Amino acid sequence: MIGAAIERCAGIDVGKKFLAVCVLTGPLEGNREPQRLRYGTTVAELERLRDLLLSEAVTHVVMESTGSYWKPVFNVLEDAVKVYVPNPQEVKARERAQEDDKMDGGCAPFAATP
């Protein structure tokens, strides 16, 4: 797994019906335990996700999405945290190297590269 370069970050895998979220917090040097969560795609669920990210003092979020499913998530989060939507092919290449399951929050370590 690629180490994160941001102390408080999150990765979101955006799907049509739910979001797979991985939150990483804590010192960069230590062994950080990822918090893996699942949220729905309704506005209420997205606001609940935003509230969690704020309560965890997350500063950066990376989203992976096919199609336009990322847009409502971005709209809810953009005023609360710095949101990145990287090139899907680059994210997939990094995930292939990890060989982890779908709920691994593969996007969170993407913050390792500025």
Side-chain angles (χ1 to χ4, degrees):
M1 182 173 188
I2 300 168
I6 297 172
E7 286 189 350
R8 297 186 164 281
C9 61
I12 303 174
D13 189 353
V14 180
K16 183 176 183 178
K17 296 184 180 181
F18 71 91
L19 311 176
V21 180
C22 178
V23 178
L24 292 174
T25 58
L28 295 176
E29 302 80 34
N31 186 13
R32 304 183 329 161
E33 202 53 41
Q35 185 179 3
R36 293 180 176 93
L37 308 158
R38 186 172 164 156
Y39 286 86
T41 56
T42 64
V43 173
E45 284 284 291
L46 297 178
E47 289 172 344
R48 198 166 69 89
L49 169 60
R50 180 192 59 210
D51 293 344
L52 169 83
L53 296 174
L54 289 172
S55 72
E56 293 288 338
V58 168
T59 58
H60 294 71
V61 172
V62 178
M63 290 192 297
E64 176 189 5
S65 178
T66 55
S68 60
Y69 300 125
W70 63 273
K71 291 178 182 179
V73 182
F74 181 87
N75 290 336
V76 171
L77 298 181
E78 71 176 322
D79 291 333
V81 296
K82 184 119 175 129
V83 181
Y84 298 92
V85 184
N87 180 325
Q89 287 81 19
E90 189 173 343
V91 173
K92 285 294 180 195
R94 288 174 186 255
E95 286 180 344
R96 269 195 301 274
Q98 291 176 18
E99 296 294 326
D100 288 333
D101 65 11
K102 190 70 171 168
M103 287 292 290
D104 73 344
C107 292
F110 194 88
T113 307

